[in-house]
């Protein structure tokens, strides 16, 4: 999915090439609904996405959790000891990905927003574009922790962790239950988890922001 691929693949693909030099790998990046459709019709063998997936024909494997952070313009920067809360989002404009992205739905659910009067969607399909809008004062947004290293190089972005329990998503694999390659997928999952380890700095509250 688009909120995973740009952050996982740079470290993952070299690891896969090293571990499986003869693997003929083809990649497809799109929204969850399309990935699932193509998995079930046999076009795809394995999905890397946010869980859960509720389909009796699909088997899944949890890999790791990816926490959400609040991104706001640096002009609104607060002391590092303050933790973000959902009501902070309610007082400002929440910038969202376009409909169809699971990350959009997860953000709305966490913020308790059944209606989106204070949410704005501009047909945006990438977190990079959302953060550019945040940097220029159009509102705030939620980003996954795995994206921090790549997406927060802008000097006018400030990130905040949320109060416990921190919002998060679960990243995992999905494949057809009928597939004979389950063990291969499990082994690949181990490589993905190891590769993604540096993207999630454990329980540290220090964020690598300017």
């Amino acid at each position: 999915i688009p909120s995973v691929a740009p952050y996982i693949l740079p470290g993952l693909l070299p690891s896969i090439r090293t571990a499986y030099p003869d693997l003929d790998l083809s990649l497809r990046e799109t929204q969850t609904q399309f990935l699932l459709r193509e998995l079930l019709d046999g076009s795809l063998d394995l999905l890397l996405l946010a869980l859960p997936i509720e389909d009796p024909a699909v088997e899944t494997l949890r890999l790791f959790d990816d926490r959400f952070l609040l991104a706001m313009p640096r002009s609104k920067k607060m002391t590092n000891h303050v933790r973000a809360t959902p009501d902070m989002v309610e007082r400002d404009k929440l910038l969202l990905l376009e409909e169809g992205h699971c990350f959009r739905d997860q953000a709305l659910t966490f913020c308790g927003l059944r209606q989106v009067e204070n949410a704005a969607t501009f047909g945006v399909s990438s977190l990079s574009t959302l953060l550019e809008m945040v940097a220029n004062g159009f509102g705030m947004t939620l980003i996954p922790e795995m994206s921090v290293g790549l997406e927060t190089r802008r000097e006018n972005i400030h990130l905040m962790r949320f109060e416990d329990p921190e919002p998060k998503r679960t990243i995992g694999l999905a494949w057809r239950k009928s597939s004979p390659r389950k063990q291969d997928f499990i082994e690949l999952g181990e490589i993905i988890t190891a590769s993604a380890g540096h993207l999630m700095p454990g329980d540290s509250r220090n964020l690598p922001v300017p």
Side-chain angles (χ1 to χ4, degrees):
I1 55 177
S3 62
V4 168
Y7 317 115
I8 288 283
L9 293 184
L12 175 61
L13 294 183
S15 297
I16 292 178
R17 182 59 64 206
T18 298
Y20 303 103
D22 297 326
L23 178 65
D24 184 10
L25 180 67
S26 297
L27 294 175
R28 165 87 159 115
E29 179 188 85
T30 189
Q31 297 175 9
T32 298
Q33 58 181 321
F34 303 119
L35 291 176
L36 279 172
R37 184 185 307 163
E38 293 172 25
L39 177 70
L40 293 173
D41 70 17
S43 301
L44 297 175
D45 296 313
L46 181 68
L47 309 183
L48 175 62
L49 73 181
L51 302 178
I53 298 298
E54 304 294 346
D55 190 301
V58 175
E59 187 170 356
T60 61
L61 174 67
R62 176 193 174 279
L63 298 182
F64 56 86
D65 290 333
D66 184 23
R67 294 176 292 188
F68 297 165
L69 306 172
L70 181 63
M72 64 177 64
R74 182 160 288 276
S75 60
K76 296 186 178 182
K77 180 178 178 179
M78 302 179 186
T79 172
N80 289 334
H81 299 293
V82 173
R83 304 292 292 278
T85 59
D87 66 286
M88 291 176 62
V89 178
E90 296 174 4
R91 297 195 298 264
D92 207 322
K93 180 180 290 184
L94 178 65
L95 305 179
L96 298 168
L97 295 174
E98 63 185 354
E99 291 188 14
H101 288 270
C102 61
F103 193 75
R104 167 196 170 95
D105 299 333
Q106 292 159 352
L108 286 173
T109 298
F110 167 68
C111 296
L113 299 177
R114 296 296 177 263
Q115 303 296 323
V116 290
E117 287 85 355
N118 73 323
T121 303
F122 299 91
V124 173
S125 60
S126 76
L127 290 173
S128 293
T129 303
L130 280 186
L131 284 169
E132 197 61 44
M133 298 181 72
V134 169
N136 284 278
F138 284 88
M140 57 179 60
T141 194
L142 272 65
I143 66 169
E145 187 173 24
M146 68 166 60
S147 73
V148 168
L150 182 62
E151 298 290 4
T152 57
R153 297 172 182 173
R154 302 164 179 82
E155 295 182 356
N156 41 3
I157 288 284
H158 175 63
L159 295 183
M160 295 182 67
R161 289 203 181 278
F162 283 92
E163 289 183 341
D164 292 327
E166 292 180 274
K168 63 185 179 181
R169 62 179 178 171
T170 298
I171 302 299
L173 297 176
W175 61 85
R176 293 183 302 279
K177 283 186 176 180
S178 59
S179 174
R181 304 190 63 185
K182 178 176 179 177
Q183 189 55 44
D184 293 332
F185 300 152
I186 292 174
E187 291 180 14
L188 185 58
E190 294 173 353
I191 294 178
I192 294 172
T193 301
S195 177
H198 72 284
L199 299 174
M200 264 67 71
D203 293 327
S204 171
R205 301 309 187 195
N206 297 318
L207 296 171
V209 295

